[in-house]
Amino acid sequence: MKKIAYLCFAILLMPAFLNAQNNGNNGDPDQKFNSLIEDAEKIEGFFDFYQTDDKLYIAIKEDQIDHEFLLNFQIGRGIGAAGLYGGTMLSIFESELVALRKRENKIFLVNIPHRYTAEEGTPQARAVSLTYGESVLETAGIDATHSDGTMLIDAYSWFVGDLSNISERVQRAVAQRPGQPGRAQFDRSRSFVELVESFPKNSNIQASLTFRNQETSAPRTVADGRFIPVSVFYTLAELPEEPMKPRMADDRLGYFMTVHKDFTDTSDEFFQRNINRWRLECDGPAGDDGLCDPKKPIVYYLENTIPERYRQPMMEGVEAWSDAFEAAGFRNAVQAKMLPDSVSAGDIRYATLRWNVSDQVGYGAIGPSTVDPRTGEILDADMLYESNMFLGFRNTYQNFVEPHTAINEIYNVSDEEMELMKLGIKTESFYAEMGTQANLVRTSMLAGGIINPGDPMPEEYVDQAVRWVTMHEVGHTLGLRHNFRSSVDTPLDKLYDTDWTAERGVYSSVMDYPSPNINSNGHDHGHFYNTGVGSYDRWVISYGYTPDDETAKEIARRAAEPGHAYGTDEDARGAGAVDPNVNVYSLSEDPIAWGRDRADLIREMLPLLPDFALEDDMAYFEVTNLFQSAFFQYARALAPSVKYIGGQYQYRDHTGDPNGRMPFEPVPLEMQQLALSTIVDYAFSANAINLPQDVYQQFGANRWSHWGQTNTWQGRIDFPLHQTLLGVQSSLLTQLLNPTRLERIRDTEVKFGTENTVTIPELMETVTNAIWEEAWNSPGGNINSNRRDLQRAHLDQMITLVTNAPSGTPADARAVARHTLQDLHERLERRLSPPTFGFDTYTRAHLTESKERISHALNAGFSLEN
């Protein structure tokens, strides 16, 4: 009986004994928790962390379970090339909406679908919940639980891993075959956590990740091409406890949007579109001036990485936006300050302007924002400015850029680049554009004697360029999209009127991509770029930020007023772009007249380049470089004329708007004809582009031979004259004969009448007559090499229309192309019939070959079609 009693007593004491054992016999229920963090560094803030050499514990409070927050990914340190640039966001606007879930003694990090919604408590909400599930991003076991309920998990592997999917970009960076990812694998053994910081509203972790490169080469910026280092900066950010009241978007003006598909009410459109904007509220009633002070102004902080030379114009660019916010009823709404050295740019409470230095430039500047996915409220913004672009403002831009890309970037823009542009990202082409613009300004100043060879650009120009770029990027972080129609709000004769442009702008929105405002007389340039916000900027800000929703609705109806012109990326680029008033890099209400004026300025300067660009002991490459940039801008000046052919003016007015316009209105016939003659006069005619031989002879080569320098043009040391000229001509020709344009011409014939449009026969006849001028005029003469190249290019495209027309080409266009070739064949036969008046061998061979090619094409085309 004693043994039984002792056994029963032992069994009763066993739980207490085991509990004592688990707590180290000291009676402390939190001993395991405390032992895990004993030697760790504690970082307190939005989330509390405990960090050791190989552990990163997150202390998760009970009220943080199931509580939604934001997760952002950013490249903390890149490689300065190949799309891996430090400071760039991996997700623009679309932050991940995440939460921590507790299941089976584990913590799950889940990604919550937020685009599909329904009013809480409705049957539709239950249907949404059944349809759209959460993705589990990461999981970790609970290592210890404190007596207060705080759970400890080791999340080291979450961040020293591929949570951000950065591997996809690394694989693209090392790719050796176009369109196929390269081989690069994450190497955990060479990766580690390098930064943990936590603030009241966000926590940041930066991890240095290494990817083992299995390709045979890597970008030259990588120290050892076998191991690609990329640091990923993770931000875990608090959502506002009280969601901001959203402002509905309106298609008459341009804001970035946060869009939900709301299934609650099927009687209306499913999509609910909120504009992206900061929370701005009045701190009391308005004063006598009708303005109120904001409770919390929008403050942008300049990081100390920005060179001192640029800080003042950048601050002015930031604070210029306060003028626009007065239209919304706010005083001093936007402010600029230097970021204190004691403050981290990673603290989400501070919107920043930051500096970036890269080797292979992938952008000029970018203005991304962190947005509340529930309402569109902008919570943070960290802009990046590329140092190479600013260097180009001050000194000669020396990157090689093909002039014909000035055409192709507008009409042949890729889907990928278009998507980036829609997000406000300045791609590499923007950097090249700003450089060639600076070179054109330099050339005009050299020609006008304003500066001497070798001089830096005047500070006035540099300040205006810096101020405009800053205003533009800040505008993106205020929620604004591009506006490529704003240039038409300025009359041509007001471009150099500084009183006009100071008040209204050289263009009515700093969200445009402008060309520098250069007077063709070489002097009296006026403002090169906008010195402040324009009339459109005031209007669009008044819509987005006025406190009253009903007032905003009335503001939106003012789209037809002068100074409110708006058209954005998808309106300006691609073969489908229809409106000749929506352009990148043009000026004034008359793009044709402005383009002809700009082209005349460049044509007058080119033959004189060596005279004013060179001085003793300068490299001849300076002339080549300035010619390359000037000819690039020459192509830019002609590009808008293409849109006039079969073009339509496109408006966003709604029914009943004051002075509202129809959605599409025809471009007058005389304007279409003028545009076509402009392309002929400045690109296709025999005398369109003539340079004296002595100018060509002074085109020197860049003889610096080391990493970071390109000293050939597509493998050639000497300048490829024919290829450069023909590139621009062929690109213009391709766009005129684009299937979409030809089909649009047929539509406008029906829509507005044949008598009101340039028809396909008129287009093909005009172009053919200009290009084959030597064969049209009797008795004809010798044809120089540039003209022979252009004629062959024309023949290639016309033959393609007959024998292998691109998809979408209307049958009428093929028929007219055949008729045009038949006519050309007859003319060539007459030119080659005796007497031939002494054609040289080049000309005779060219005309004979062309005639035979047409004959074969007509026979082949006829067989294919029948």
Side-chain angles (χ1 to χ4, degrees), residues 774 777-781 830-831 835-837 839:
E774 297 87 344
N777 297 326
S778 181
R830 289 199 293 270
R831 291 288 77 77
T836 57
F837 299 98
F839 287 150

Side-chain angles (χ1 to χ4, degrees), residues 112-387:
I112 304 168
H114 57 79
R115 291 183 172 180
Y116 306 98
T117 63
E119 185 178 340
E120 191 173 348
T122 63
Q124 293 94 326
R126 291 192 290 273
V128 168
S129 179
L130 285 170
T131 305
Y132 305 101
E134 299 172 343
S135 298
V136 177
L137 301 178
E138 292 287 357
T139 183
I142 300 173
D143 291 343
T145 302
H146 196 272
S147 57
D148 67 3
T150 301
M151 292 158 282
L152 208 62
I153 66 169
D154 181 8
Y156 185 92
S157 63
W158 291 11
F159 306 107
V160 183
D162 197 23
L163 175 60
S164 67
N165 198 31
I166 190 66
S167 60
E168 192 174 284
R169 291 203 182 194
V170 175
Q171 289 164 359
R172 289 204 301 265
V174 300
Q176 296 182 319
R177 294 168 296 279
Q180 297 183 24
R183 295 170 299 163
Q185 292 183 338
F186 173 61
D187 188 340
R188 188 177 298 275
S189 68
R190 288 177 168 83
S191 305
F192 54 90
V193 170
E194 57 184 347
L195 169 72
V196 181
E197 57 185 4
S198 208
F199 308 101
K201 292 183 178 295
N202 70 290
S203 300
N204 302 319
I205 302 95
Q206 183 162 308
S208 177
L209 309 179
T210 294
F211 292 83
R212 185 183 287 272
N213 182 18
Q214 296 172 285
E215 301 291 349
T216 57
S217 63
R220 65 174 181 237
T221 56
V222 179
D224 187 321
R226 296 172 297 172
F227 307 104
I228 310 296
V230 179
S231 292
V232 174
F233 190 83
Y234 306 88
T235 296
L236 291 65
E238 178 184 71
L239 283 167
E241 185 175 346
E242 180 67 30
M244 180 188 73
K245 181 183 178 183
R247 172 66 44 82
M248 295 298 106
D250 192 289
D251 65 349
R252 286 166 288 198
L253 14 66
Y255 274 91
F256 296 118
M257 297 180 293
T258 295
V259 180
H260 301 134
K261 194 168 188 180
D262 191 332
F263 293 95
T264 304
D265 187 358
T266 56
S267 65
D268 198 1
E269 187 177 5
F270 280 125
F271 288 108
Q272 299 297 309
R273 306 176 181 94
N274 303 334
I275 67 170
N276 293 351
R277 61 172 183 161
W278 294 86
R279 188 185 301 226
L280 199 63
E281 301 167 332
C282 285
D283 187 18
D288 293 338
D289 58 359
L291 305 177
C292 72
D293 293 314
K295 287 182 181 179
K296 183 182 177 183
I298 305 168
V299 182
Y300 292 93
Y301 294 87
L302 277 67
E303 200 178 45
N304 60 12
T305 54
I306 297 173
E308 292 184 6
R309 164 64 185 86
Y310 302 115
R311 292 178 184 177
Q312 185 59 36
M314 291 180 82
M315 283 192 166
E316 292 171 0
V318 170
E319 295 190 336
W321 278 102
S322 276
D323 177 34
F325 277 83
E326 290 184 2
F330 292 95
R331 182 188 302 109
N332 298 323
V334 182
Q335 301 173 16
K337 298 179 181 179
M338 288 301 301
L339 186 70
D341 292 339
S342 60
V343 172
S344 168
D347 190 334
I348 201 171
R349 294 173 297 175
Y350 298 88
T352 60
L353 285 71
R354 310 177 72 182
W355 197 252
N356 190 45
V357 291
S358 59
D359 177 47
Q360 301 166 26
V361 179
Y363 64 90
I366 51 177
S369 304
T370 299
V371 175
D372 184 342
R374 303 170 302 175
T375 63
E377 178 181 358
I378 299 173
L379 305 174
D380 185 31
D382 293 296
M383 290 164 274
L384 280 177
Y385 295 85
E386 167 53 57
S387 62

Side-chain angles (χ1 to χ4, degrees), residues 44-111:
E44 296 182 276
F46 177 58
F47 277 102
D48 292 343
F49 296 89
Y50 296 92
Q51 185 180 14
T52 66
D53 286 341
D54 60 349
K55 302 285 186 182
L56 182 61
Y57 291 111
I58 305 180
I60 304 171
K61 301 177 179 65
E62 288 183 333
D63 62 0
Q64 291 176 315
I65 296 295
D66 298 328
H67 192 75
E68 296 176 355
F69 59 96
L70 294 180
L71 174 61
N72 283 331
F73 306 113
Q74 191 174 340
I75 299 178
R77 184 184 301 109
I79 61 175
L84 295 171
Y85 301 102
T88 56
M89 295 180 69
L90 299 183
S91 54
I92 307 297
F93 303 132
E94 287 272 332
S95 300
E96 307 296 339
L97 184 64
V98 298
L100 299 173
R101 309 285 192 216
K102 182 181 177 183
R103 302 285 189 274
E104 300 177 351
N105 203 38
K106 292 189 290 187
I107 297 297
F108 292 80
L109 175 66
V110 300
N111 195 338

Side-chain angles (χ1 to χ4, degrees), residues 532-546:
V533 297
S535 53
Y536 167 85
D537 301 320
R538 298 184 187 96
W539 175 55
V540 72
I541 288 294
S542 70
Y543 170 80
Y545 286 89
T546 188

Side-chain angles (χ1 to χ4, degrees), residues 254 421-422 481-485 566-573 582 652:
M421 291 172 178
K422 288 179 181 179
R481 291 194 65 186
H482 288 136
N483 181 1
F484 297 143
R485 193 189 186 92
Y566 171 61
T568 192
D569 296 87
E570 54 268 29
D571 303 324
R573 300 195 191 224
V582 186
R652 294 169 174 259

